[in-house]
Amino acid sequence: MPGGRPRSFDADTALDRALEVFWRNGFEGTSLADLTAAMGINKPSLYAAFGNKEELFGKVLARYLDGPGAYAADALDAPTGRAVVERLIHGAVDLTAGENTPSGCLCVKAVQAGGPDSRTVRQDAVAVRKAGEAALRRRLEQATDLPSDQEPADLAALVHTISDGIAVQAAAGRSRDELRQVADSALRALLGEGT
């Protein structure tokens, strides 16, 4: 006996479209109708392929981290602590205020979601943020080129706070050029004039 009907849509393309909708509107601001319209599928197909809205968001979040947000993991491979910090902060500007991306950050928008329906989504986004900060702290503990008065845990928290602030400002309409100036000022304050 044959299985169910084969999918008549490309799951990767549908996920990319869902990513864009969630990124633009946030979790709570995105309806199932928004998702199905963007993805080009009906609700039963969405549920069958991706689960409910929360489960779809989890898949989208993973795709975001492996795609547009991968700059953060890549930055950890920079040869110096300074370069890691620079790549993270400049990468935040490029990601959240880029010409070809929605403004803001998918994770930051999810963390800011406030209703009870988004508690799990918020927890997932917070877990992603904490894991990123912990990875940055571990990398900075290995760095030998950072100012001696910078504690790796404090610097990691500060870099994440600056990146999140950049994302919020991008979502509020600040331009890429304005945010690049803010990023450069932040880097000078964190790392000194040699930046």
Side-chain angles (χ1 to χ4, degrees):
M1 180 154 113
R5 269 180 49 192
R7 285 188 187 146
S8 60
F9 65 92
D10 179 78
D12 287 331
T13 299
L15 236 118
D16 287 338
R17 290 178 180 162
L19 168 57
E20 186 174 332
V21 173
F22 278 127
W23 193 350
R24 191 174 345 102
N25 301 338
F27 179 78
E28 287 190 347
T30 298
S31 69
L32 285 174
D34 295 332
L35 290 167
T36 56
M39 296 167 79
I41 60 176
N42 60 28
K43 285 182 188 179
S45 294
L46 184 149
Y47 290 129
F50 304 108
N52 64 23
K53 183 179 165 186
E54 267 183 14
E55 292 168 320
L56 173 60
F57 186 85
K59 290 173 176 64
V60 161
L61 185 57
R63 194 166 190 86
Y64 178 79
L65 296 173
D66 290 339
Y71 81 91
D74 293 344
L76 299 179
D77 293 331
T80 65
R82 285 179 174 272
V84 169
V85 172
E86 289 169 0
R87 288 181 187 182
L88 284 170
I89 291 178
H90 284 146
V93 172
D94 293 340
L95 175 71
T96 63
E99 292 179 18
N100 300 316
T101 60
S103 60
C105 171
L106 179 69
C107 288
V108 172
K109 286 180 179 180
V111 168
Q112 293 173 334
D117 290 342
S118 62
R119 190 173 93 232
T120 301
V121 166
R122 198 169 43 255
Q123 289 170 341
D124 291 347
V126 167
V128 163
R129 303 298 297 158
K130 285 183 178 179
E133 188 175 318
L136 176 56
R137 177 191 43 78
R138 288 190 300 273
R139 173 60 182 91
L140 294 177
E141 286 170 347
Q142 301 168 1
T144 59
D145 64 317
L146 296 173
S148 60
D149 63 338
Q150 291 280 10
E151 288 294 323
D154 294 341
L155 183 56
L158 188 53
V159 168
H160 269 255
T161 300
I162 291 167
S163 296
D164 288 354
I166 287 169
V168 170
Q169 290 298 310
R174 289 236 186 219
S175 73
R176 185 179 183 281
D177 289 341
E178 290 173 314
L179 291 172
R180 185 61 99 142
Q181 289 176 352
V182 168
D184 290 342
S185 294
L187 287 167
R188 281 191 299 277
L190 288 173
L191 303 175
E193 287 300 321
T195 304

